[in-house]
């Protein structure tokens, strides 16, 4: 999570000090003498705790916090021969440890503690009833040589690997058909070392779709908390067709430029999910809710629904803080976004889709959204024409409706709203209430709409487009719009 730091400084008094008068006065009271003795005692303890090495005093390493036991049985990764030097490959140690835990399912499972160190590994699979616990200075490092990364079948709702036809690379930490899995710790780190992957992707040297950092599929009762995920080869955290997932107090990092497709969290055909108290700064969407791609997602028929995102800070210089789509062919509904800050980003929140997607995006609410130096604040785009193959049906148009924006504030925003519906994909029943966004451009057309139906309740800034009905604060109709199909979209600024 973000940590604010401040520098506390004092002001020196340049007046000359009379030490001959101050010193006797200093020792004139028993209280002062006691203070001096107390400081001396503390200094003695300090020296006693230190050790001499090469002629200098060094503090002995302070032991880390004790690792809590969250399962009946706990193992240490070093018990299985792992070496945390950042060079030794520890895949077999992880596999042996997880195999041991898999045998404890009837007893409540087991916990694998990863102590401080740099633990290089190839991809490995989790098991049910397992807790993976990373100590404060523990770093799991993904090996950069792709020959160690297994190939997997394409996701059924995508038709083929997202970037190439055929198999895709698996994730560094993977799980399928699991129950009761926890990944947590004292803010240890899982580092995908994605730099090599990004370079090869840009140079078109990869023959398969890159793998996520963490991917959990067809599973339920998943908790991911108190860890840092960074530098994923591809999407960072990808729950796929899962139920009852909690992601809390997670920091996700990747370079904001030149780290392609490093989405932070991508809930994909998931149900009953909570994302809260997270900080995400990555090279693509901070959070992107998905549910399959074109005809493959329509056939898979598994929506993303009942997802709550709250108390999250996001940065995306390339894409958006929070997106829905563009792969949303199974449908997305029941999403609540609240208490979110998007800063120094290209877009704030975005819904993106296109003809051929099918599906729906409905019952979506944004509440208490802060936009701080964002190029475009709120975006709805209906011509995101990227398709898996030529087999999609262009007549399969998505439905966009029942979307509300309440308490939207910020400063330094170039275009606060750009809702680009179309004649075949109109945006219906949109509501704005309590909006005040400071702008950088004093142009008229900065609240842009096309084929949008909805209403504004009360007074908002900037002034809304003519497509929307106007209501007063008591939700009484003031003016009915006669221009819902009007187009006022300007991509030139």
């Amino acid at each position: 999570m973000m940590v604010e730091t401040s520098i506390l400084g004092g002001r020196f008094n340049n007046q000359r000090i009379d030490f001959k008068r101050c010193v006797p006065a200093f020792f004139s009271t028993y209280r002062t003498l006691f203070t001096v003795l107390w400081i001396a005692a503390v200094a003695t303890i300090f020296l006693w705790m230190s050790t001499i090495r090469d002629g200098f005093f060094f503090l002995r390493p302070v032991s880390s916090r004790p690792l809590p036991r969250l399962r009946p049985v706990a193992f240490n990764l070093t018990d299985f021969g792992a070496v945390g030097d950042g060079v030794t490959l520890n895949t077999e140690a992880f596999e042996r440890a997880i195999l041991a835990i898999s045998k404890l399912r009837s007893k409540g499972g087991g916990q694998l503690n990863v102590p401080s160190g740099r633990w290089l590994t190839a991809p490995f699979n989790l098991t049910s009833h397992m807790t993976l616990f990373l100590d404060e200075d523990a770093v799991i490092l993904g090996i950069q040589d792709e020959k160690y990364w297994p190939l997997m079948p394409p996701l059924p709702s995508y038709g083929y690997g997202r970037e190439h036809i055929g198999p895709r690379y698996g994730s560094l930490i993977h799980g399928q058909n699991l129950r009761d899995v926890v990944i947590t710790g004292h803010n240890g780190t899982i580092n995908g070392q994605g730099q090599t992957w990004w370079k090869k992707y840009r140079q078109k040297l990869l023959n398969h779709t890159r793998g996520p950092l963490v991917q959990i599929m067809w599973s339920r009762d998943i908790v991911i908390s108190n860890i840092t995920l960074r530098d994923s080869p591809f999407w960072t955290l990808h729950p796929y067709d899962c139920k009852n997932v909690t992601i809390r107090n997670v920091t996700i990092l990747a370079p904001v430029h030149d780290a392609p497709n490093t989405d932070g969290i991508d809930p994909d055909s998931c149900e009953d999910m909570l994302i809260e108290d997270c900080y995400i700064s990555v090279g693509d969407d901070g959070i992107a809710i998905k549910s399959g791609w074109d005809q493959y997602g329509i056939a898979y028929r598994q929506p993303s629904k009942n997802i709550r995102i709250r108390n999250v800070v996001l940065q995306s210089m390339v894409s958006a803080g929070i997106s829905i789509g563009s792969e949303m062919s199974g449908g997305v509904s029941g999403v609540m976004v609240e208490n979110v800050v998007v800063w120094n980003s290209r877009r704030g929140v975005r819904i993106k889709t296109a003809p051929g997607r099918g599906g729906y995006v409905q019952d979506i609410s944004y509440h208490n959204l802060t936009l701080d130096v964002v190029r475009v604040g709120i975006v709805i785009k209906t011509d995101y024409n990227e398709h898996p193959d030529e087999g999609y049906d262009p007549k399969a148009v998505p439905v966009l409706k029942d979307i509300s924006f309440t308490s939207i504030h910020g400063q330094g925003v170039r275009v606060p709203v750009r809702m680009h519906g179309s004649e075949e994909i109109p945006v219906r029943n949109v509501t704005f209430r309590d909006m005040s966004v400071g702008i950088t451009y004093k142009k008229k057309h900065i609240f842009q709409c096309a084929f949008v139906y909805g209403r504004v309740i009360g007074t908002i800034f900037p002034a809304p487009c003519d497509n929307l009905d106007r209501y007063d604060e008591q939700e009484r109709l003031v003016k009915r719009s006669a221009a819902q199909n009007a187009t006022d979209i300007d991509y030139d600024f």
Side-chain angles (χ1 to χ4, degrees):
M1 300 293 292
M2 291 184 64
V3 179
E4 294 184 359
T5 59
S6 60
I7 301 174
L8 301 178
R11 184 176 298 174
F12 290 100
N13 191 332
N14 293 323
Q15 295 181 354
R16 188 174 179 179
I17 300 174
D18 189 347
F19 286 100
K20 291 183 179 180
R21 294 177 58 189
C22 292
V23 172
F26 180 78
F27 289 99
S28 61
T29 65
Y30 290 109
R31 180 178 298 175
T32 303
L33 182 59
F34 175 79
T35 302
V36 172
L37 293 175
W38 182 84
I39 293 173
V42 171
T44 301
I45 295 173
F46 178 90
L47 293 175
W48 173 71
M49 292 180 64
S50 64
T51 181
I52 297 178
R53 190 183 344 161
D54 298 330
F56 296 91
F57 281 102
F58 290 87
L59 282 178
R60 288 175 180 165
V62 180
S63 60
S64 59
R65 289 174 286 176
L67 303 185
R69 177 173 289 188
L70 307 176
R71 301 281 183 179
V73 179
F75 300 104
N76 194 302
L77 185 61
T78 56
D79 297 339
F80 299 88
V83 179
D85 58 5
V87 178
T88 304
L89 191 60
N90 295 292
T91 314
E92 291 185 2
F94 276 105
E95 290 173 344
R96 288 195 296 267
I98 294 169
L99 178 61
I101 292 173
S102 69
K103 298 176 181 179
L104 300 172
R105 293 183 180 183
S106 62
K107 299 179 180 179
Q111 175 173 325
L112 176 58
N113 293 326
V114 181
S116 299
R118 295 172 63 81
W119 309 93
L120 183 68
T121 182
F124 60 87
N125 295 314
L126 303 177
T127 189
S128 292
H129 308 294
M130 172 184 177
T131 296
L132 178 65
F133 193 99
L134 282 72
D135 202 0
E136 185 173 3
D137 295 316
V139 182
I140 296 177
L141 293 169
I143 192 167
Q144 293 178 299
D145 189 343
E146 67 266 22
K147 73 180 182 182
Y148 287 93
W149 290 62
L151 292 176
M152 302 183 64
L155 294 169
S157 59
Y158 285 76
Y160 70 96
R162 189 63 176 77
E163 297 169 331
H164 293 276
I165 295 175
R168 60 190 175 93
Y169 288 108
S171 58
L172 179 63
I173 298 179
H174 191 81
Q176 293 185 193
N177 301 303
L178 303 180
R179 294 196 64 171
D180 180 24
V181 172
V182 178
I183 303 175
T184 188
H186 288 154
N187 200 30
T189 299
I190 302 172
N191 186 336
Q193 300 198 103
Q195 292 81 359
T196 298
W197 293 91
W198 308 332
K199 183 178 180 180
K200 290 183 177 180
Y201 170 76
R202 289 192 296 267
Q203 295 176 344
K204 302 186 184 304
L205 297 177
L206 296 171
N207 296 319
H208 306 283
T209 300
R210 292 166 289 158
L213 186 63
V214 179
Q215 184 177 62
I216 310 295
M217 304 173 61
W218 303 304
S219 301
R220 62 182 304 143
D221 306 332
I222 309 298
V223 176
I224 300 173
S225 67
N226 302 318
I227 59 171
T228 295
L229 306 175
R230 69 177 308 140
D231 295 343
S232 174
F234 190 54
W235 300 343
T236 303
L237 178 52
H238 185 212
Y240 180 84
D241 198 350
C242 292
K243 294 183 179 180
N244 192 22
V245 178
T246 298
I247 300 170
R248 176 184 294 121
N249 194 25
V250 173
T251 300
I252 301 179
L253 304 172
V256 293
H257 294 292
D258 299 322
N261 308 111
T262 50
D263 296 13
I265 304 172
D266 284 2
D268 201 336
S269 295
C270 287
E271 181 179 351
D272 299 335
M273 175 177 287
L274 172 64
I275 301 171
E276 66 177 356
D277 303 326
C278 295
Y279 175 76
I280 303 172
S281 176
V282 290
D284 208 305
D285 290 316
I287 298 172
I289 301 173
K290 304 175 181 292
S291 65
W293 200 10
D294 285 4
Q295 70 271 29
Y296 303 105
I298 294 172
Y300 193 68
R301 299 179 63 186
Q302 185 60 47
S304 281
K305 60 183 180 179
N306 193 20
I307 297 175
R308 189 167 189 176
I309 301 168
R310 64 189 182 194
N311 307 331
V312 176
V313 178
L314 305 116
Q315 182 188 26
S316 172
M317 293 287 287
V318 174
S319 195
I322 299 176
S323 286
I324 297 177
S326 72
E327 309 94 324
M328 40 61 63
S329 301
V332 177
S333 66
V335 176
M336 178 181 292
V337 177
E338 58 182 343
N339 304 333
V340 166
V341 175
V342 182
W343 69 285
N344 195 27
S345 296
R346 185 165 184 170
R347 304 174 187 89
V349 295
R350 176 168 64 162
I351 298 171
K352 47 184 177 177
T353 185
R357 292 288 191 270
Y360 53 85
V361 176
Q362 62 188 35
D363 187 19
I364 313 295
S365 66
Y366 301 88
H367 181 80
N368 196 18
L369 173 64
T370 300
L371 306 171
D372 185 8
V373 187
V374 175
R375 182 179 297 181
V376 187
I378 295 168
V379 180
I380 298 178
K381 185 176 178 63
T382 58
D383 59 350
Y384 203 86
N385 289 310
E386 186 180 5
H387 303 283
D389 53 45
E390 297 301 321
Y392 75 95
D393 179 5
K395 296 181 181 179
V397 294
V399 174
L400 306 182
K401 65 177 184 177
D402 303 338
I403 304 166
S404 66
F405 301 90
T406 307
S407 297
I408 312 298
H409 303 284
Q411 57 88 27
V413 179
R414 184 178 296 185
V415 179
V417 176
R418 180 178 285 149
M419 297 185 294
H420 192 176
S422 65
E423 186 173 2
E424 55 185 343
I425 311 176
V427 182
R428 299 185 181 277
N429 196 23
V430 177
T431 302
F432 285 88
R433 186 171 194 167
D434 182 21
M435 176 176 178
S436 178
V437 176
I439 57 177
T440 58
Y441 279 19
K442 295 183 179 179
K443 294 191 175 184
K444 293 183 178 180
H445 304 299
I446 55 175
F447 197 118
Q448 302 178 5
C449 302
F451 293 92
V452 174
Y453 301 74
R455 62 178 181 165
V456 173
I457 300 175
T459 302
I460 67 173
F461 182 85
C465 59
D466 294 334
N467 305 61
L468 302 175
D469 299 334
R470 310 297 176 88
Y471 288 74
D472 63 18
E473 293 289 353
Q474 287 71 43
E475 301 189 25
R476 295 174 299 202
L477 179 65
V478 175
K479 180 182 179 182
R480 180 79 66 185
S481 171
Q484 291 94 341
N485 295 338
T487 298
D488 189 18
I489 302 295
D490 185 357
Y491 287 100
D492 290 336
F493 69 98

